[in-house]
C-alpha cells in the first residue's frame, strides 16, 4: 500500500516534497521491519540526503534516519522489531 501511495504522491507533488518523503520514511520503516533491507536502504539514503540539505545534518530527524540506515547496514539480519527512525 505504501508503494502505491508513494508513487501517487511522487507523480503529483514531485520527488522532494516533504509529504512524499514522509511516505517514503513510512515505507522504509515498514521494509526494515519486514527485513527487506535491499529496498529499505535506498529509501533511507534518499530521505537522509533530503534531510541533510533541507534541515541539516544535526537535526534530530536526520540523526534518526542516519541511525536507521546504520542499523541496517551494520546488521543485515537486524531484529524486525527495531525502532525505526527513533
Amino acid at each position: 500500500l505504501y508503494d502505491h501511495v508513494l508513487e501517487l504522491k511522487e507523480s503529483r507533488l514531485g520527488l522532494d516534497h516533504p509529504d512524499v518523503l514522509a511516505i517514503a520514511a513510512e515505507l522504509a520503516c515498514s521494509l526494515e521491519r519486514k527485513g527487506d533491507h535491499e529496498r529499505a536502504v535506498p529509501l533511507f539514503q534518499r530521505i537522509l540526503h533530503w534531510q541533510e540539505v533541507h534541515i541539516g545534518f544535526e537535526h534530530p530527524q536526520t540523526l534518526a534516519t542516519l541511525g536507521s540506515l546504520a542499523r541496517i547496514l551494520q546488521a543485515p539480519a537486524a531484529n524486525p522489531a527495531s525502532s525505526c527512525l527513533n
Side-chain angles (χ1 to χ4, degrees):
L1 185 61
Y2 283 125
D3 286 317
H4 182 65
V5 172
L6 182 59
E7 287 177 21
L8 290 173
K9 292 273 188 179
E10 286 174 341
S11 68
R12 293 187 178 141
L13 300 174
L15 296 176
D16 287 334
H17 191 278
D19 290 348
V20 171
L21 283 240
I23 296 295
E26 292 294 328
L27 176 57
C29 288
S30 176
L31 293 169
E32 179 188 2
R33 285 190 293 273
K34 291 179 181 180
D36 190 349
H37 299 155
E38 188 174 314
R39 289 181 56 210
V41 167
L43 284 171
F44 279 124
Q45 290 171 330
R46 173 180 164 191
I47 295 160
L48 182 62
H49 175 74
W50 185 92
Q51 290 171 327
E52 288 174 341
V53 169
H54 295 282
I55 61 176
F57 185 76
E58 294 182 8
H59 190 280
Q61 288 177 331
T62 306
L63 296 174
T65 301
L66 184 61
S68 294
L69 181 58
R71 184 174 46 251
I72 291 173
L73 295 175
Q74 289 180 350
N79 178 0
S82 64
S83 59
C84 185
L85 296 177
N86 290 325

